[in-house]
Amino acid sequence: QLQLQESGPGLVRPSETLSLTCSVSGGSISSSSYYWGWIRQPPGEGLEWIGSVYYTGRTSDNPSLKSRVTMSVDTSKNQFSLRLSSVTAADAAVYYCARLQWLLSPVYFDYWGQGTLVTVSS
Amino acid sequence: DIQMTQSPSSLSASVGGRVTLTCRASQTISTYLNWYQQKPGKAPKLLIYGASTLQSGVPSRFSGSGSGTDFTLTISSLQPEDFAIYYCQQTYSIPWTFGQGTKVEIK
């Protein structure tokens, strides 16, 4: 059974960079069938797609985040990562990592991590 | 960006009842529409993809329909474990966007 687990600091200071890692177990991150994505959810609010990364390092991200997003993959560790720079209070949210099925249309997120809460405060 | 609008924002229903949730896209998205269920403190769970295909393991009381701009999720006989928030998502064009959710509560 595929499992995803987010990890990283739960508190980030304003203007600094949020860094999260998603560890994948029960499957290979190097599969050609999947992208790996990040989605966030501010407390009490809806879901926002942040971006997705392929095992080759190819990425796609949400333009609303104005190029603050960097995503990467470490196939040797079966992990992928998110960096979000210049954070503000608006970036406080539960951050989820998820597997994106993309080989067959349509694409969808079929496995999700449990989520990790990130607070932005000085 | 494609805007996804769900209605109603919340509803109350009885166990055993039939409920229909609606999702409308701001432009045509063919059948590039997914539905997720989210319970408090948990990650979303995929229910339906491609507007009408049931994800493996999801009970058959869930069904989806629609194409173009208008979509529905129907729960034929509401069970206690179905009380949750339901989100639609379009994956027709980037940025993929979600609706604001419909909360299904116990009547």
Side-chain angles (χ1 to χ4, degrees), chain B residues 31-66:
Chain B
T31 57
Y32 290 74
L33 191 283
N34 306 319
W35 288 98
Y36 299 86
Q37 175 195 65
Q38 186 178 35
K39 296 181 180 180
K42 300 294 187 182
K45 171 188 174 183
L46 177 68
L47 297 177
I48 287 171
Y49 60 91
S52 61
T53 303
L54 205 62
Q55 170 69 343
S56 176
V58 174
S60 59
R61 63 181 179 272
F62 292 92
S63 64
S65 65

Side-chain angles (χ1 to χ4, degrees), chain A residues 38-42 45-51 62-65 68 84 90-91 93-96 109 112, chain B residues 1 87 89 95-99:
Chain A
W38 293 95
I39 302 98
R40 69 182 182 179
Q41 184 173 38
E45 298 186 25
L47 300 160
E48 180 183 29
W49 172 69
I50 298 170
N62 193 327
S64 71
L65 293 166
R68 297 191 291 132
L84 180 66
D91 295 309
V94 174
Y95 284 74
Y96 295 101
F109 290 106
W112 295 62
Chain B
D1 297 5
Y87 293 95
Q89 177 206 23
W96 300 323
T97 47
F98 294 84

Side-chain angles (χ1 to χ4, degrees), chain A residues 21-54:
Chain A
T21 296
C22 183
S23 299
V24 179
S25 58
S28 173
I29 201 170
S30 300
S31 170
S32 60
S33 300
Y34 306 106
Y35 268 71
W36 304 90
W38 293 95
I39 302 98
R40 69 182 182 179
Q41 184 173 38
E45 298 186 25
L47 300 160
E48 180 183 29
W49 172 69
I50 298 170
S52 300
V53 60
Y54 198 49

Side-chain angles (χ1 to χ4, degrees), chain A residues 4-83:
Chain A
L4 295 88
Q5 178 69 58
E6 305 88 351
S7 60
L11 177 66
V12 182
R13 299 186 189 281
S15 79
E16 295 191 345
T17 297
L18 177 161
S19 295
L20 296 174
T21 296
C22 183
S23 299
V24 179
S25 58
S28 173
I29 201 170
S30 300
S31 170
S32 60
S33 300
Y34 306 106
Y35 268 71
W36 304 90
W38 293 95
I39 302 98
R40 69 182 182 179
Q41 184 173 38
E45 298 186 25
L47 300 160
E48 180 183 29
W49 172 69
I50 298 170
S52 300
V53 60
Y54 198 49
Y55 77 96
T56 58
R58 181 177 181 179
T59 62
S60 178
D61 58 68
N62 193 327
S64 71
L65 293 166
K66 296 182 171 57
S67 302
R68 297 191 291 132
V69 171
T70 303
M71 291 174 288
S72 61
V73 173
D74 187 337
T75 55
S76 67
K77 294 183 179 178
N78 224 34
Q79 295 176 336
F80 61 104
S81 299
L82 169 72
R83 288 170 58 86

Side-chain angles (χ1 to χ4, degrees), chain B residues 15-106:
Chain B
V15 172
R18 180 184 181 91
V19 298
T20 299
L21 286 59
T22 297
C23 177
R24 176 166 290 175
S26 61
Q27 65 186 74
T28 184
I29 59 170
S30 183
T31 57
Y32 290 74
L33 191 283
N34 306 319
W35 288 98
Y36 299 86
Q37 175 195 65
Q38 186 178 35
K39 296 181 180 180
K42 300 294 187 182
K45 171 188 174 183
L46 177 68
L47 297 177
I48 287 171
Y49 60 91
S52 61
T53 303
L54 205 62
Q55 170 69 343
S56 176
V58 174
S60 59
R61 63 181 179 272
F62 292 92
S63 64
S65 65
S67 67
T69 60
D70 295 316
F71 303 86
T72 60
L73 172 69
T74 299
I75 310 173
S76 60
S77 178
L78 205 60
Q79 298 302 300
E81 60 268 29
D82 300 337
F83 293 95
I85 299 176
Y86 293 83
Y87 293 95
C88 62
Q89 177 206 23
Q90 66 81 20
T91 54
Y92 180 80
S93 69
I94 285 174
W96 300 323
T97 47
F98 294 84
Q100 82 282 11
T102 291
K103 185 174 185 179
V104 177
E105 298 177 300
I106 301 173

